């Protein structure tokens, strides 16, 4: 039986996935430190403490990490947008996090990466984690950077990391793309639990996806963690609108993100056309 984590840090705790993990990981940690740049929607309860922290603030991040053995890192810019928040949250933030983890003896980090790291593969391709990254946005490039930084800190300093390329983690699939990418809330929490508790993970990159027959990713690495997803997007297929033949976003795995332009604050410009 896996040991209880003494003190677990969850960053991005005010966000959608952080909020799910706050509940879902409770049975596996004696105490949980929650952190975010924003206030929590519900204040800290018994067994929890909250530290407000900007990931771009080196000293504050060191303070946030002090005294924890394990980190689930969900904080940072979570979609394509202007470069500044990506720079602060995901580039400077990831360096600050690993620098603090090294200083304070953190043993393992579970990192929110993204399926968009390989968003520029076609929807007719099957991708595995040993294939080259093809980020579909500056946001995705920042996640690729995080994967590389965590690799460096494992091979140089022995800090273990499981990078989870999260699919589309929402309550139920809502589009044809989701039939490939959906990750149910329950499967997400279970995958993070596996990533926290599996032995000797070293540096591992996995896709976070439910048991969808149409998934685009080979995920043997997730199986190695003992992750066996229970939900399937196929159960919702008859409730989802069919693909529009003209929808350019369907060509690449990244979907609509590909049309977003950081110069427009992450919006899809009216006149956008694909190059493919
Ligand atoms: P979210 O936007 O709801 O949560 C992210 C949290 O990070 C927010 O509460 C925000 O206040 C915080 N944050 C942003 N910049 C920060 C900074 N500089 N310092 C400290 N905190 C900061 O996003 P969500 O959906 O919960 O995603 C969590 C993680 O999972 C993100 O890293 C995202 O990129 C990744 N992800 C999520 C997917 C999904 O389907 N929800 C899909 C793929 C990846």
């Amino acid at each position: 039986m896996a040991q209880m984590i003494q003190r677990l840090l969850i960053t991005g705790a005010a966000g959608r996935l952080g909020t799910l993990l706050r509940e879902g990981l409770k049975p596996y940690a004696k105490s949980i430190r929650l952190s975010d740049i924003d206030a929590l929607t519900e204040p800290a309860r018994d067994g929890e403490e909250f530290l407000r922290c900007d990931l771009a603030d080196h000293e504050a991040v060191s303070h946030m990490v002090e005294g924890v053995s394990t980190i689930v890192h969900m904080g940072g810019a979570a979609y394509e947008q202007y470069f500044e928040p990506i720079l602060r949250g995901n580039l400077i933030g990831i360096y600050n996090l690993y620098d603090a983890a090294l200083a304070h003896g953190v043993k393992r980090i579970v990192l929110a990466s993204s399926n968009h790291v390989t968003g520029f593969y076609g929807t007719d391709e099957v991708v595995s984690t040993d294939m080259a990254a093809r980020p579909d946005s500056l946001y995705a490039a920042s996640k690729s950077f995080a994967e590389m930084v965590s690799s460096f800190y494992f091979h140089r300093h022995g800090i273990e990391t499981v990078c989870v390329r999260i699919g589309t983690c929402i309550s139920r699939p809502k589009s044809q793309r989701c039939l490939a990418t959906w990750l149910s809330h329950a499967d997400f929490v279970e995958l993070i639990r596996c990533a926290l508790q599996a032995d000797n993970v070293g540096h591992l990159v996995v896709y976070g996806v439910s048991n969808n027959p149409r998934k685009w990713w080979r995920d043997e690495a997730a199986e190695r963690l003992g992750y066996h997803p229970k939900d399937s997007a196929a159960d919702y297929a008859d409730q989802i609108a069919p693909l529009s033949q003209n929808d350019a976003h369907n060509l690449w795995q990244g979907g609509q993100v590909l049309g977003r332009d950081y110069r427009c604050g992450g919006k899809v410009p009216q006149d956008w056309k694909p190059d493919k």
Side-chain angles (χ1 to χ4, degrees):
M1 182 149 146
Q3 280 194 339
M4 287 283 273
I5 297 165
Q6 284 297 322
R7 188 182 283 145
L8 172 69
L9 168 64
I10 302 177
T11 69
R16 285 160 296 187
L17 302 190
T19 302
L20 281 176
L21 292 175
R22 198 179 156 183
E23 280 309 309
L25 297 179
K26 216 174 182 171
Y28 311 108
K30 286 196 173 144
S31 74
I32 300 187
R33 179 175 293 167
L34 304 165
S35 183
D36 204 289
I37 197 169
D38 280 344
L40 297 175
T41 38
E42 276 191 46
R45 299 177 286 245
D46 273 0
E48 294 178 338
E49 61 176 323
F50 177 57
L51 278 184
R52 204 160 178 161
C53 172
D54 180 352
L55 289 161
D57 181 336
H58 189 268
E59 205 180 318
V61 172
S62 178
H63 180 55
M64 169 184 83
V65 169
E66 191 172 7
V68 307
S69 57
T70 314
I71 301 173
V72 175
H73 183 53
M74 294 287 133
Y79 52 88
E80 184 69 336
Q81 52 194 287
Y82 295 115
F83 186 58
E84 179 75 13
I86 295 174
L87 171 69
R88 292 180 63 79
N90 299 9
L91 300 182
I92 299 172
I94 206 74
Y95 163 70
N96 286 344
L97 188 84
Y98 276 87
D99 195 44
L102 181 62
H104 297 296
V106 170
K107 301 280 180 265
R108 184 173 302 185
I109 299 178
V110 178
L111 186 71
S113 182
S114 170
N115 69 87
H116 291 286
V117 164
T118 48
F120 253 125
Y121 282 92
T123 49
D124 53 354
E125 293 177 271
V126 175
V127 178
S128 60
T129 54
D130 53 7
M131 291 164 73
R134 281 191 202 166
D136 60 25
S137 49
L138 289 176
Y139 156 71
S142 76
K143 293 294 185 180
S144 203
F145 176 74
E147 291 185 2
M148 291 299 108
V149 169
S150 60
S151 171
F152 166 66
Y153 274 84
F154 172 64
H155 291 102
R156 177 68 179 81
H157 298 293
I159 300 173
E160 291 192 310
T161 296
V162 179
C163 303
V164 183
R165 290 181 180 171
I166 302 168
T168 308
C169 189
I170 51 179
S171 56
R172 54 191 300 169
K174 292 180 181 152
S175 66
Q176 289 287 330
R177 181 175 184 268
C178 285
L179 292 177
T181 63
W182 186 54
L183 174 63
S184 73
H185 286 169
D187 284 340
F188 168 68
V189 172
E190 171 60 6
L191 175 54
I192 302 299
R193 182 197 68 75
C194 291
L196 286 170
Q197 293 188 336
D199 290 330
N200 301 322
V201 294
H203 182 263
L204 196 63
V205 180
V206 303
Y207 280 96
V209 63
S210 281
N211 189 23
N212 311 329
R214 284 211 218 159
K215 69 185 172 207
W216 293 317
W217 312 310
R218 266 202 303 275
D219 45 8
E220 292 94 348
E223 280 175 33
R224 264 177 47 205
L225 294 176
Y227 169 66
H228 301 290
K230 294 202 168 43
D231 295 315
S232 167
D235 295 341
Y236 301 86
D238 58 355
Q239 300 163 35
I240 293 173
L243 274 184
S244 144
Q245 291 304 316
N246 301 325
D247 193 345
H249 303 118
N250 300 325
L251 296 172
W252 296 285
Q253 295 192 5
Q256 296 214 342
V257 165
L258 279 123
R260 289 191 193 154
D261 188 338
Y262 71 95
R263 291 163 301 181
C264 308
K267 295 189 178 66
V268 181
Q270 293 265 310
D271 57 350
W272 182 75
K273 293 269 184 309
D275 296 329
K276 193 169 174 177

